[in-house]
Amino acid sequence: MTTTIPKFKLASRVSQEEDTIITVKGQHIGGPHTTVIAGPCAIENEYQMLSTARAVKTSGATILRGGAYKPRTSPYSFQGLEEEGLELLKKAGELVDLPTVSEVISTETFDIVEKYVDILQIGARNMQNFPLLKRAGKSNKPILLKRGMSATIEELLMAAEYIMSEGNMQIILCERGIRTFETYTRNTLDLSAVLAIRELSHLPIIVDPSHATGRHEMIRPLAKAAIITGAHGLMVEVHYQPEIALCDGPQSLKPEAFELLMRDIEHLRDFNTQMLNIKSK
Ligand code: PEP
Ligand code: MN
């Protein structure tokens, strides 16, 4: 009997049975590794970026995040510091010795973002920006691809396929909540997507409970649930002072809360590693 090759040929477990493991500056993402990406939603100034970077590093984050080009719903909201922000993120990453990730929102600014960061993020709103996906496919840096807020799992994998078909196999997928009829939370976290993606694809899948809920008090329990479900890691927004954040303060953890989350994750890590090993077989 022949196995049917799914539409997403390169991203599929049929084409590659073993988990993809991506290595960036000594940090491994995928397989048995648990990645924790943390940092502010937006890079605001040097003090904010450096103090948040120090805090998340001390607590055990493995990758530092910070947005410099912000895709905001309102044109009047803070749009990001752009290249100046990327310089601060690079400086912070070097200071705390962590790889960095930042979002790229257009093909025009791809080269600039690529120059400064270790991993490029394609956000939910651009998951099906095909020219951007094709440009990402020509990069030699890993791409963090977030699920569109109305995208099916298959559409997410097809978006990854766009990048892979251009030659870049280093993709990290991210479940960040989808739009449903529920409005109590910002989005609805679809944890079953983690199980589906682990079944369908060899690519690492991480979970972002910050954008999924919009509520800081829900991050810790859902982050733990994501790890237990088999996610290869998390993306969590952390701000040294969320009350004054220029973007996504209500869903940002204070450094103390992030520290508590990391202690929980440490306990779950062994459990997760065993689970990932079993599932990778
Ligand atoms: C982000 O991670 O800063 C972001 C904008 O996320 P999303 O694309 O998932 O909304
Ligand atoms: Mn955000």
Side-chain angles (χ1 to χ4, degrees):
M1 201 178 83
T2 50
T3 324
T4 346
I5 307 270
K7 286 183 245 177
F8 34 94
K9 299 188 177 84
L10 299 167
S12 163
R13 274 247 188 245
V14 178
S15 64
Q16 181 185 314
E17 214 185 320
E18 68 280 4
D19 283 355
T20 284
I21 299 180
I22 297 165
T23 302
V24 194
K25 291 199 168 154
Q27 298 289 345
H28 306 295
I29 307 146
H33 307 282
T34 303
T35 298
V36 181
I37 304 174
C41 178
I43 303 151
E44 298 169 8
N45 56 59
E46 182 158 354
Y47 177 76
Q48 173 247 19
M49 194 61 234
L50 299 190
S51 53
T52 310
R54 277 196 203 94
V56 300
K57 166 76 180 196
T58 307
S59 296
T62 57
I63 297 173
L64 182 64
R65 68 154 282 154
Y69 293 86
K70 295 304 304 171
R72 306 303 300 278
T73 301
S74 165
Y76 308 117
S77 301
F78 177 56
Q79 302 286 308
L81 294 182
E82 305 189 342
E83 190 165 3
E84 188 193 335
L86 292 171
E87 276 167 14
L88 294 176
L89 178 63
K90 187 170 161 50
K91 185 172 173 181
E94 284 166 1
L95 184 82
V96 301
D97 192 25
L98 285 182
T100 56
V101 59
S102 197
E103 180 165 353
V104 56
I105 59 172
S106 68
T107 47
E108 292 80 12
T109 52
F110 201 99
D111 290 358
I112 303 174
V113 183
E114 194 179 36
K115 188 171 107 188
Y116 286 97
V117 302
D118 301 304
I119 301 170
L120 291 105
Q121 176 173 321
I122 294 184
R125 290 157 192 80
N126 274 310
M127 192 205 80
Q128 283 188 321
N129 178 338
F130 300 116
L132 189 61
L133 296 176
K134 285 184 181 175
R135 173 63 187 87
K138 297 203 161 51
S139 177
N140 57 15
K141 293 195 169 172
I143 307 297
L144 171 60
L145 179 64
K146 299 189 85 174
R147 182 180 182 182
M149 58 190 87
S150 302
T152 63
I153 291 164
E154 184 172 310
E155 284 163 345
L156 171 60
L157 291 168
M158 289 308 286
E161 196 72 23
Y162 259 91
I163 302 172
M164 297 173 97
S165 63
E166 295 291 330
N168 189 350
M169 303 295 158
Q170 302 187 90
I171 300 167
I172 305 150
L173 302 170
C174 180
E175 159 61 37
R176 46 76 74 203
I178 49 174
R179 208 36 64 111
T180 66
F181 54 81
E182 183 56 73
T183 54
Y184 188 76
T185 47
R186 186 174 177 182
N187 290 286
T188 300
L189 180 61
D190 179 14
L191 274 188
S192 55
V194 172
L195 298 170
I197 288 168
R198 290 189 56 94
E199 176 97 40
L200 294 169
S201 177
H202 52 84
L203 295 172
I205 167 79
I206 67 165
V207 168
D208 170 354
S210 301
H211 291 89
T213 62
R215 306 172 78 108
H216 65 91
E217 73 279 11
M218 290 189 178
I219 293 174
R220 194 166 157 208
L222 290 176
K224 291 195 278 183
I227 295 298
I228 292 176
T229 306
H232 295 100
L234 302 166
M235 174 183 259
V236 179
E237 287 185 335
V238 182
H239 194 287
Y240 79 105
Q241 209 179 336
E243 314 79 59
I244 59 162
L246 294 180
C247 185
D248 287 350
Q251 64 186 42
S252 299
L253 290 184
K254 290 185 177 158
E256 310 85 82
F258 180 68
E259 166 70 18
L260 293 176
L261 167 62
M262 289 304 290
R263 296 294 75 82
D264 285 351
I265 299 302
E266 224 161 69
H267 293 302
L268 295 174
R269 201 173 289 218
D270 286 348
F271 176 78
N272 191 29
T273 304
Q274 283 166 20
M275 189 174 153
L276 297 182
N277 283 339
I278 294 163
K279 293 188 139 208
S280 308
K281 278 183 191 142

